[in-house]
Amino acid sequence: ATTVGILGGGQLARMLALSGASLGLRFLVMDTADDACAGQFAPLLVGDYRDKAALAEFAGKVDVATFDFENVPAESAHWLAERVPVFPNPGALALTQDRLAEKTLFRELDIPVPDFADVATRAQLDDAVARIGTPCILKTRRLGYDGKGQFRIKSPADVDAAWDALGAQAETVGLILEGFVAFQRELSVVAVRGRDGEFRAWPLTENWHVDGVLSASLAPARVDASLHTTALSHARAIAERLGYVGVFALELFCRDGELLANELAPRVHNSGHWTIEGSETSQFQNHLRAVLGLPLGDTAVRGVVSMLNWIGEMPDAAPVLSAAGGHWHDYGKQARDGRKVGHATLRADEAEALAQRLADVGVALGRQAQVAPVVARLREG
Ligand code: ATP
Ligand code: MG
Ligand code: MG
């Protein structure tokens, strides 16, 4: 049997392993934690991603390697790629690990981005704030996720506090200042590119974040066809430039009908979880097919789909399990503040039916605020 190695053993690796079971695949997951939740379904190798002995053991046991964790040191990914095929390629991984390199690439490809500036010193921060204006966001160039490593500068008076919070990281992971985009919507393209260059994308997804963490998604996003076409062509241009193989997500802001690229996640993505039940082929299945050089599956959506993230602790499953078109995902993790512990997917053939199901689930779980923006969007007509 073919063994797929996954660096990172969180819920993404877990869902990859569950999806790959139907293809007869074996998995080996590497993680720094011995309780990584993918380890409940696949053999787990506990080790540091910089430890060459652990990496060598991993490489010796797998036929192909991929990532659930985008911050695996690029150097380790390169080292691994000399021993076993690695998808996406380590160069693509390295580029997307740096917000500055990533935004520079988007700009080169004529993909609009928010204003941005590299910030290495306090003086450069002052200059950048003066040029870009407020509000703006100071972010670490590397290692940020779920909105961590970010400071919102509402007015010039906040610059001191921003530097106090992140200035020390200017020399380690680097900093970038970005103009704050007063977007009406956040969207993502989840797409897949095969080893042979075949490109497929799922319909555009609309996403809602709370405190920088994804809270809910809706697919297909209810946007003009032209926006859909533009978003997909941006995703395709990036994938082709990077020689990308596998699934990735391009996060976009939509402001006054214009799309601005935020970042690219070089892996299966939370905003694509709805594809498990909501699409003919899930992002997990297509990622595996891509990295193995198998034919890609149809990315068509089945009706209208919404995903609700469970953060911190799992709610009661019964209301979703008893809802028509309701599906439950518990990642088998310990409850912890801010942690993604599971999600629910609700599917219907028509928008109003989905709105009603979401509203009912929201009431039953006391999560009206979480479902409200999705319900409102579905009822806008
Ligand atoms: P992820 O978990 O998606 O990897 P991250 O830590 O990499 O998150 P971003 O995607 O850059 O962070 O930011 C998280 C959220 O913060 C965005 O989805 C968006 O809601 C908000 N945000 C980030 N940058 C901007 C911006 N320039 N203008 C407005 N809002 C922003
Ligand atoms: Mg990110
Ligand atoms: Mg993001």
Side-chain angles (χ1 to χ4, degrees):
T2 302
T3 300
V4 177
I6 308 177
L7 292 163
Q11 67 270 17
L12 303 178
R14 177 181 171 111
M15 288 185 271
L16 282 168
L18 289 169
S19 177
S22 70
L23 295 173
L25 299 174
R26 305 282 174 87
F27 289 85
L28 176 64
V29 172
M30 179 168 170
D31 199 287
T32 54
D34 61 7
D35 63 346
C37 74
Q40 295 162 19
F41 290 99
L44 178 66
L45 180 76
V46 181
D48 189 285
Y49 303 119
R50 293 183 193 277
D51 176 0
K52 296 283 155 59
L55 286 174
E57 184 184 346
F58 179 81
K61 290 180 173 168
V62 306
D63 298 298
V64 58
T66 188
F67 309 94
D68 127 305
F69 177 58
E70 71 199 69
N71 287 316
V72 168
E75 194 236 330
S76 300
H78 281 290
W79 190 87
L80 207 56
E82 285 163 12
R83 287 154 181 88
V84 65
V86 174
F87 299 110
N89 68 75
L93 184 79
L95 185 122
T96 59
Q97 286 175 344
D98 181 355
R99 293 185 197 277
L100 184 69
E102 184 174 68
K103 287 199 164 65
T104 304
L105 173 76
F106 296 165
R107 198 171 256 174
E108 261 173 51
L109 294 170
D110 284 327
I111 299 170
V113 287
D115 275 341
F116 66 89
D118 185 16
V119 171
T121 63
R122 172 61 208 254
Q124 283 181 5
L125 177 60
D126 288 327
D127 289 350
V129 172
R131 179 173 73 75
I132 290 172
T134 54
C136 51
I137 307 187
L138 185 64
K139 299 182 180 179
T140 57
R141 277 171 56 178
R142 298 170 183 281
L143 299 181
Y145 67 96
D146 286 346
K148 293 178 176 56
Q150 302 192 9
F151 194 100
R152 296 197 179 190
I153 300 175
K154 297 194 184 72
S155 78
D158 296 336
V159 172
D160 281 333
W163 189 255
D164 282 348
L166 298 176
Q169 297 185 64
E171 280 178 18
T172 52
V173 291
L175 300 175
I176 182 173
L177 187 76
E178 295 179 13
F180 184 85
V181 181
F183 54 78
Q184 287 85 30
R185 297 177 195 220
E186 284 201 79
L187 303 166
S188 58
V189 185
V190 181
V192 60
R193 189 166 175 275
R195 283 204 202 180
D196 61 357
E198 184 182 4
F199 177 87
R200 293 189 186 209
W202 285 269
L204 209 50
T205 301
E206 180 167 3
N207 303 304
W208 289 267
H209 292 80
V210 175
D211 298 329
V213 184
L214 186 66
S215 169
S217 296
L218 173 65
R222 301 168 77 78
V223 296
D224 290 351
S226 66
L227 218 62
H228 190 96
T229 310
T230 305
L232 264 54
S233 80
H234 290 340
R236 184 176 195 139
I238 297 165
E240 287 175 358
R241 168 64 76 92
L242 294 176
Y244 196 95
V245 172
V247 166
F248 65 95
L250 175 63
E251 298 181 5
L252 300 156
F253 301 132
C254 180
R255 179 183 63 193
D256 304 331
E258 190 197 12
L259 291 174
L260 300 169
N262 174 34
E263 63 169 344
L264 189 132
R267 50 171 170 76
V268 287
H269 192 253
N270 200 166
S271 72
H273 289 359
W274 64 265
T275 61
I276 296 175
E277 296 91 2
S279 172
E280 193 63 38
T281 313
S282 80
Q283 62 168 347
F284 302 101
Q285 173 77 199
N286 260 347
H287 182 69
L288 294 169
R289 292 191 192 193
V291 305
L292 292 167
L294 299 170
L296 301 179
D298 184 356
T299 51
V301 61
R302 295 173 171 147
V304 194
V305 200
S306 179
M307 190 267 341
L308 301 171
N309 249 1
W310 306 135
I311 314 282
E313 59 179 352
M314 293 298 293
D316 177 19
V320 169
L321 292 176
S322 59
H327 303 275
W328 195 251
H329 296 262
D330 182 330
Y331 307 151
K333 290 181 175 180
Q334 293 287 358
R336 191 202 293 159
D337 240 24
R339 192 178 215 195
K340 291 176 177 172
V341 291
H343 74 268
T345 301
L346 288 163
R347 206 202 63 76
D349 292 334
E350 305 293 339
E352 179 48 35
L354 181 61
Q356 193 57 54
R357 287 172 196 179
L358 280 166
D360 291 347
V361 163
V363 169
L365 296 179
R367 305 231 176 193
Q368 291 93 334
Q370 189 175 3
V371 302
V374 192
V375 172
R377 183 71 81 222
L378 286 162
R379 287 184 170 156
E380 268 173 17

